[in-house]
Amino acid sequence: QVQLVESGGGSVQPGGSLRLSCAASGSTFSTYAMAWYRQAPGKQRELVARITSGGTRNYTDSVKGRFTISGDNAKNTVYLQMDSLRPEDTAVYYCNADGWVVGIYNTYWGQGTQVTVSS
């Protein structure tokens, strides 16, 4: 079982920055890919950024060049640095861990943290 706890959300003006943190229980990074998803009101949850155990990073097109995903293995924490924020980035952001363990696929979610970008 993996537990994920997000923090760092809040309100910011357009053009501002926030850094989200996701603290994971256990030795998560060697087993699971870590990702950030977001869900805006009335919209489906979408993948924002993902980092594999090997360090490969992927981003959705709308955040490329503005957001950076990174991980600290020693702290079992994954971060999402969000710069040049836009009103359309407003959403609840969720941390996710997914991967295969002894032939079984597992996926885990955090509780979510609200990000609001508004003037």
Side-chain angles (χ1 to χ4, degrees):
Q1 188 75 9
V2 174
Q3 292 184 329
L4 305 172
V5 179
E6 300 107 332
S7 60
S11 296
V12 64
Q13 292 186 340
S17 297
L18 283 173
R19 189 177 79 157
L20 305 182
S21 300
C22 173
S25 63
S27 301
T28 313
F29 291 177
S30 61
T31 304
Y32 297 96
M34 303 296 296
W36 288 95
Y37 287 73
R38 66 186 179 187
Q39 187 166 19
K43 294 188 177 181
Q44 289 188 332
R45 191 172 297 189
E46 66 169 347
L47 175 65
V48 176
R50 189 171 185 263
I51 184 169
T52 68
S53 58
T56 300
R57 295 170 172 82
N58 297 100
Y59 300 91
T60 191
D61 286 346
S62 63
V63 308
K64 285 180 181 177
R66 300 189 299 122
F67 291 10
T68 303
I69 189 171
S70 62
D72 185 331
N73 287 356
K75 296 182 178 179
N76 271 339
T77 300
V78 63
Y79 303 98
L80 185 68
Q81 178 66 41
M82 304 185 295
D83 298 317
S84 302
L85 282 161
R86 304 168 180 170
E88 54 264 38
D89 295 319
T90 296
V92 178
Y93 284 70
Y94 297 91
C95 182
N96 172 266
D98 79 280
W100 294 86
V101 178
V102 291
I104 300 173
Y105 177 76
N106 297 277
T107 186
Y108 302 96
W109 294 92
Q111 81 285 357
T113 185
Q114 177 71 46
V115 171
T116 302
V117 185
S118 174
S119 56

